[in-house]
Amino acid sequence: SVASVFLDSDPAFKTLRLMRVFRVVRLFRFLSSLRIIINALTSSILPVSNAFGVLALVTTMYSVIGVNLFRSYNEELFGDFASSLFTMFQVLTADGWATNIVRPLFEVTDTVTVACFFVSYILIVGTFLINV
């Protein structure tokens, strides 16, 4: 349009044009099945965020414990809180945790401590992930 030629560089006009995207929201009135899905998704935001909060709390606790237990055995993985948190996230995602993290610790420290630490973490975290 003629107005877009003169007002194209105006940020307020670009924001106004962006508002056209929200026309899709009007479809929710006509599609009841889509409205049911959107209502279910919005009502699940709080329970899922609570579960992820508990998951973050448990991961943080195990990271602190991991630093205290394994810092002297593996400085790279458990040297400080940030590296321990990343290591515990790697265990959480099951990304090579057995071969890259646990087996090297078995060679240098008590296997019962390592096994109890990681198995308990996986069981607790797995329970929260299954419930999400």
Side-chain angles (χ1 to χ4, degrees):
S1 73
V2 177
S4 68
V5 171
F6 296 109
L7 298 174
D8 197 29
S9 63
D10 188 21
F13 187 69
K14 288 183 180 182
T15 305
L16 189 61
R17 288 176 63 194
L18 184 64
M19 296 299 282
R20 288 189 290 174
V21 173
F22 293 111
R23 289 182 187 174
V24 176
V25 174
R26 289 191 298 183
L27 287 175
F28 294 155
R29 280 185 285 159
F30 304 114
L31 301 172
S32 64
S33 61
L34 185 60
R35 189 173 351 131
I36 291 170
I37 292 171
I38 296 298
N39 287 339
L41 285 174
T42 55
S43 66
S44 69
I45 289 174
L46 186 62
V48 169
S49 62
N50 287 338
F52 279 124
V54 171
L55 182 70
L57 180 67
V58 168
T59 303
T60 303
M61 288 172 28
Y62 269 85
S63 297
V64 170
I65 295 168
V67 168
N68 291 329
L69 287 177
F70 306 122
R71 177 190 298 161
S72 60
Y73 300 113
N74 195 333
E75 188 74 27
E76 181 182 351
L77 297 176
F78 294 100
D80 58 353
F81 175 73
S83 61
S84 179
L85 186 63
F86 185 74
T87 301
M88 296 314 294
F89 182 74
Q90 183 178 356
V91 173
L92 166 72
T93 59
D95 180 32
W97 69 275
T99 57
N100 298 335
I101 299 168
V102 177
R103 296 214 190 271
L105 286 174
F106 276 163
E107 296 172 3
V108 294
T109 186
D110 182 31
T111 58
V112 174
T113 305
V114 174
C116 288
F117 178 78
F118 286 105
V119 169
S120 67
Y121 177 70
I122 289 169
L123 289 175
I124 292 170
V125 168
T127 303
F128 284 112
L129 286 179
I130 287 172
N131 288 328
V132 171

